[in-house]
């Protein structure tokens, strides 16, 4: 979704990602670098803490 919004001209100063266990894929990481948000909120769930 992020690349689509960015291509449509929608800018975000904060991105929130809740990636799967394996982490963000390389394409998303590259797009995040291109977008250059001021903040990135990276949600992580630790199973034994839930």
């Amino acid at each position: 979704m992020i690349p689509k919004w960015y291509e449509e001209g929608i800018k975000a100063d904060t991105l929130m990602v809740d990636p799967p266990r394996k982490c963000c894929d390389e394409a998303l990481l590259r797009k995040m670098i291109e977008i250059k948000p001021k903040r990135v909120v990276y949600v992580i769930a630790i199973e034994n803490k839930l």
Side-chain angles (χ1 to χ4, degrees):
M1 295 183 103
I2 293 171
K4 182 180 177 185
W5 292 347
Y6 185 69
E7 289 169 5
E8 292 175 359
I10 298 171
K11 306 284 189 229
D13 63 349
T14 302
L15 294 179
M16 184 171 96
V17 293
D18 184 5
R21 210 175 279 264
K22 67 176 184 162
C23 193
C24 298
D25 68 5
E26 188 173 338
L28 176 59
L29 294 174
R30 289 182 187 276
K31 187 55 74 171
M32 289 170 61
I33 291 169
E34 182 181 332
I35 292 172
K36 298 179 184 168
K38 292 179 183 176
R39 286 176 221 85
V40 175
V41 178
Y42 191 98
V43 178
I44 184 168
I46 302 171
E47 286 183 24
N48 65 354
K49 301 291 182 185
L50 297 177

